[in-house]
Each structure stands twice: as C-alpha cells, then as structure tokens.
Amino acid sequence: MEKRHRVFIAINLPEEIKKELSKYEKKWSGLPVKWIPKDNLHITLEFLGDLTDIEIGDTCQIVNEIAKNHSPFTINLHKVLYGPLAKYPPKMIWVEGEKSEELTALKNDLQKGLLEKVRFKPDEKLFSPHITLARVLEWEFKKIDPEEVPEVNEDINLTFSAESIEVMESEMKKGGPRYTVLESHNLEI
C-alpha cells in the first residue's frame, strides 16, 4: 500500500505576526484549550487530505503555475474571537482576517486548478480567512457555567504582505501535528 501524506495549501505568517499572535496564550491562559505552537500559525487556503507522492507532485506543479499568475497582496487581521460563530461550545479561538478580492481569487484559482488533477473534497463553506490560535477542549469547556465563560472578542489591527503560498504536510506526532513546507511558491506578477 502506497504511503499517503496529509497535505494542505497555506499562507505562512511572518515571524513578527506569529510573535504578536502567540501573546494571546498568556492573556487567556486559564481557558480549557490547546494552544497552537507559534511556528504552526498559518492561513489554510485548501485542505487536500491524504495524497500519494504522485498527487503531491501534481499539486506542487499546479500551485507553482497559479502562484505565477498572482501578485503579492496585503492581508489584514482584525479580530480575535471564538469560532466558528454561533457554535456552542466553540471549536477554537481564531483570528479573523478581512476578505479581499486578491485572496478570494487566489483561493478560487487554487481550488479550480487542483480539482482538475487531484482528488479531494473542497470545503463547501464560504471561505473566511482565519488563523487557528487554539482548539477548545470541548468536554472541559462544557463544565464552565455559560455565564462564567471568559469573553474572547478583541479587535486587532495587524497587516502583512502575502508573498508566497506553501504546499504543506501535516504529520501527527506525540505532541501534536508537525508541519513541513514541501514547496514554497512566490506570488510573482
């Protein structure tokens, strides 16, 4: 049986943005959540699931072609909150990013291009750029009286330039997932 790899396409964050976002772990340290390590913070554009080596090669080639047809663009991060909205208990604490034409066009082009050669189930939900900061430990969270749940709802203003997109592999390890960049492709035009 051929080995498969959990693969996703992401925009990785500059170090200064990761440092800024990792400060929230101290702010809400008492919450029953599992914080994401600073170096794993990213925006997922497309989760492809378990791919073969051949599918990974096809993915890298497609992502390279798509990256050549997009320019670098700015991403604005504007809020830290529980997510997804209107879900109780929440699944995570995340950072919401503003939707932009450039980001939506890149996501749509990736999905369309990848679907031509790679078998995966595209996310049917409306794309909302976000960065997962922590995953809620649901059974512990439910023990907190709803009136006592700390509010996580903070406006922020962080901006960075998306210069590249990465083909990433997620490997489950004892301490949680380890992410590896398989290929990085600069946005070029």
Side-chain angles (χ1 to χ4, degrees), residues 45-57:
L45 294 173
E46 202 65 63
F47 178 75
L48 303 178
D50 296 325
L51 302 185
T52 64
D53 289 341
I54 291 170
E55 290 170 320
I56 291 172

Side-chain angles (χ1 to χ4, degrees), residues 89-138:
K91 289 197 174 298
M92 58 193 79
I93 295 174
W94 68 18
V95 179
E96 257 184 10
E98 290 178 9
K99 293 178 186 166
S100 68
E101 285 181 31
E102 297 93 343
L103 185 56
T104 301
L106 177 60
K107 162 102 170 119
N108 291 343
D109 286 355
L110 280 167
Q111 192 173 86
K112 185 178 169 197
L114 289 164
L115 278 170
E116 289 175 12
K117 279 202 145 180
V118 181
R119 286 191 8 215
F120 71 100
K121 189 177 185 319
D123 192 349
E124 297 299 324
K125 293 185 260 33
L126 195 59
F127 177 63
S128 175
H130 67 274
I131 300 159
T132 302
L133 293 181
R135 298 196 186 286
V136 170
L137 302 171
E138 188 176 334

Side-chain angles (χ1 to χ4, degrees), residues 1 14 23 33 35 53 59 67 73 100 112-113 123 125 128 169 176 179 182:
M1 178 134 152
K23 292 177 182 175
V33 298
W35 291 94
D53 289 341
T59 297
F73 59 93
S100 68
K112 185 178 169 197
D123 192 349
K125 293 185 260 33
S128 175
E169 179 178 5
Y179 299 151
L182 299 177

Side-chain angles (χ1 to χ4, degrees), residues 3-4 14 54 76 78 80 84 96 120 154 188:
K3 180 172 172 20
R4 294 185 164 266
I54 291 170
N76 299 308
H78 61 90
V80 179
E96 257 184 10
F120 71 100
E154 186 169 312
E188 292 188 13

Side-chain angles (χ1 to χ4, degrees), residues 5-18:
H5 310 267
R6 287 177 64 81
V7 175
F8 62 97
I9 313 300
I11 294 174
N12 281 312
L13 309 177
E15 192 59 31
E16 64 271 13
I17 299 292
K18 288 180 182 182

Side-chain angles (χ1 to χ4, degrees), residues 35-183:
W35 291 94
I36 305 298
K38 175 177 72 78
D39 291 336
N40 282 0
L41 299 176
H42 66 275
I43 296 173
T44 299
L45 294 173
E46 202 65 63
F47 178 75
L48 303 178
D50 296 325
L51 302 185
T52 64
D53 289 341
I54 291 170
E55 290 170 320
I56 291 172
D58 290 342
T59 297
C60 290
Q61 189 176 4
I62 291 163
V63 171
N64 182 41
E65 289 304 312
I66 289 166
K68 288 179 182 175
N69 293 313
H70 287 268
S71 300
F73 59 93
T74 300
I75 294 180
N76 299 308
L77 305 174
H78 61 90
K79 196 176 243 339
V80 179
L81 66 162
Y82 290 117
L85 295 175
K87 182 129 178 78
Y88 193 88
K91 289 197 174 298
M92 58 193 79
I93 295 174
W94 68 18
V95 179
E96 257 184 10
E98 290 178 9
K99 293 178 186 166
S100 68
E101 285 181 31
E102 297 93 343
L103 185 56
T104 301
L106 177 60
K107 162 102 170 119
N108 291 343
D109 286 355
L110 280 167
Q111 192 173 86
K112 185 178 169 197
L114 289 164
L115 278 170
E116 289 175 12
K117 279 202 145 180
V118 181
R119 286 191 8 215
F120 71 100
K121 189 177 185 319
D123 192 349
E124 297 299 324
K125 293 185 260 33
L126 195 59
F127 177 63
S128 175
H130 67 274
I131 300 159
T132 302
L133 293 181
R135 298 196 186 286
V136 170
L137 302 171
E138 188 176 334
W139 53 276
E140 284 187 39
F141 198 91
K142 284 181 176 178
K143 291 179 189 174
I144 303 172
D145 183 312
E147 302 290 318
E148 303 292 319
V149 172
E151 184 175 8
V152 174
N153 188 351
E154 186 169 312
D155 291 327
I156 61 172
N157 184 15
L158 295 174
T159 301
F160 69 95
S161 180
E163 306 280 334
S164 64
I165 50 178
E166 281 73 38
V167 179
M168 307 281 294
E169 179 178 5
S170 172
E171 293 177 276
M172 287 310 292
K173 298 290 183 186
K174 208 174 204 162
R178 185 179 80 206
Y179 299 151
T180 307
V181 176
L182 299 177
E183 279 194 12

